Amino acid sequence: MASIRDVAQKAGVGVGTVSRVLNGSGYVSAETKKKIEDAIEELGYIPNELARNLFRNRTGIVGVIIPDVEHPFFSNFVRQTEVALYNLGYKTMVCNTIGISNREKEYLDMLERNMVDGIITAAHTLEDTEYLKRKKPIVSMDRDFGPQIPMVGSDHIYGGRLAAEILLKNKCHKILHITGVAPDVAANDRHAIFETIMSEHGVEVVDVVMEWNRFDHEAYWEAARIGMRKYDGVDGVFAADQPALYYMHLAMAAGKRVPEDLKVVAYDGMDITKLCYPEVTSICQNTQFLSETCANTVVDLIENRKRVPHKQIISVEFRQGGSTLPVKLNGNL
Amino acid sequence: MASIRDVAQKAGVGVGTVSRVLNGSGYVSAETKKKIEDAIEELGYIPNELARNLFRNRTGIVGVIIPDVEHPFFSNFVRQTEVALYNLGYKTMVCNTIGISNREKEYLDMLERNMVDGIITAAHTLEDTEYLKRKKPIVSMDRDFGPQIPMVGSDHIYGGRLAAEILLKNKCHKILHITGVAPDVAANDRHAIFETIMSEHGVEVVDVVMEWNRFDHEAYWEAARIGMRKYDGVDGVFAADQPALYYMHLAMAAGKRVPEDLKVVAYDGMDITKLCYPEVTSICQNTQFLSETCANTVVDLIENRKRVPHKQIISVEFRQGGSTLPVKLNGNL
DNA sequence: GTGAAAGCGCTAACAC
DNA sequence: GTGTTAGCGCTTTCAC
């Protein structure tokens, strides 16, 4: 492993000059530059980023904390975020909290240890105070920590409103509503508004509440099974992508026809909702925009180029599928 | 940002002593230790990992290169690998190559720059030579670079064999085989053996070849559409999870019944195959074992504890779903 | 234009 | 037992 000193020696110059060539900073005569480049070439020299990092006190790495990459929404989010960060010159370190608050904390600690330049968090296990005491760049997705930490999120209120409108226009009478988002998270808003609108229109809504920090096959399966067993005569479902699909699976296995006997609306609208038959009508979060906004915001903080807004809300979109009857929405129920 | 010198000063000791307390190395009297710990506490001192890294010439980070985390197999793989690496004391940096060889190369370069201690690669865009010239720890999943680079992979030959046996026992006469794995990758083996066995048994197989570096909704959709349009009378399908599901979707939309009119066998067996109705009969890769083996192997290389085997092959498993008739397999066609 | 030297924050070897 | 010192490999003043 050749070092900058070896290069300097071989080229018969000082290390400072080599550094200048490496970074294109300061003046170096064409002749010296050539000598140095030859030496670099000959030695196969590659600068040690660790030393650079120490000097600059940065690593060019952003930590992305999520509950679980295996969840389609988060795998999509990580994918887009990694690409966005890469385009901004940053690398991505992932952390799956998988419901363990200590994991979340440990990754946050990497901020103080200077292992990451900033954090994008979409996990919700750890208390607010653990976040608020950090002084380095943090961007939150969907969780409001107050004015200190910028947040990016979808317009879940509008999303809940759209879901309600779809199921109302589909003339449902008894709706199964599967909830289970972490407390204090903006994504919960859709549930509240949905229930409010339904009750205003006198439509019966029955609930199944999932454990909010489980994303495994069994958990979804169980929620769907409870929904099936506990409630009769359900003719509409509103749930996140996976519980919606699992419930639809069970209902079809029990002989129900979709959309004739059962209307299904999924929230998130990831690719899995287009995979099944029938394709599931969805309220789609714009993960690309969410990711890019998170990435841009955290980089703005890191390079403190400009003030960043406290809240950035990204709109959601209705996608008609075959699991509900075709409707036109106006979004103002 | 307090440094070790501040702590030393405040405690009235030398930096070496502080370092010893920090690392639990060497002798420090209980009294001095207490003083130092108090100073650390008071100053809220946290060691700068960058400086440590420079000294130790390591970062504790492993790069995981995959085609696309959004693909269920890879999101699963990354999830398990991150957890396995974490348990071994390492952090995970992800790179989606998304078919761009330059991205793959750039992440490989981080090895030489000492930004990562090792690499686990499951991407296949870049030429062999780029990998072979590296001197630092690399573990490959499913791609054989020769004896220099240890490889971990599933038993795809057995997997192809199982798929063939299922469809033979389901008495299929015309099988749609959707292929499209990167060239030179072990996962291709399943295709070859599948076709061989089928032809030995006189069963007609028709092919649709997908672009191997595309994992988006449109690509799968297109492949399924081509399969539907181009071939009539297909009564069996063998494909990776997603093309299998998309084809099944289209076939059902066209009025075919599964499994009565069409048998479907998926390869990979991720959760999406259990989500749809009917659940899809699958050949399942053991991602947890694959991930753990990759993680253990790369850490063995990094800490060069022991010689690692060139090839580690993980077995695959048959999972009966509702998309084929129930069969018992014996695996030796 | 270029070399020498200081220093980023830490660890470890070596005195005392 | 503990302080001092010499690096780890780089960047950046500051003389010349």
Side-chain angles (χ1 to χ4, degrees), chain B residues 21 47 60 85 89 129-130 153 163 165 171 182 210 237 257 281 316-317 331:
Chain B
V21 170
L85 285 171
T129 51
E130 278 293 338
E165 189 178 351
K171 309 241 183 300
M210 289 186 61
V237 183
R257 291 164 309 161
T281 294
V316 298
E317 237 175 56

Side-chain angles (χ1 to χ4, degrees), chain A residues 12-14 17 20 27-29 32 55:
Chain A
V13 300
T17 314
R20 257 163 261 149
Y27 308 91
V28 183
S29 75
T32 333
F55 186 86

Side-chain angles (χ1 to χ4, degrees), chain B residues 182-228:
Chain B
D184 308 325
V185 167
N188 261 319
D189 294 349
R190 68 173 190 257
H191 294 131
I193 187 86
F194 180 82
E195 306 242 343
T196 305
I197 294 177
M198 285 320 201
S199 102
E200 278 170 13
H201 286 75
V203 174
E204 182 182 6
V205 175
V206 293
D207 281 3
V208 168
V209 180
M210 289 186 61
E211 281 180 70
W212 57 269
N213 57 4
R214 283 191 55 195
F215 297 102
D216 54 301
H217 172 71
E218 280 312 320
Y220 295 120
W221 205 232
E222 184 60 16
R225 222 158 17 203
I226 290 173
M228 284 293 287

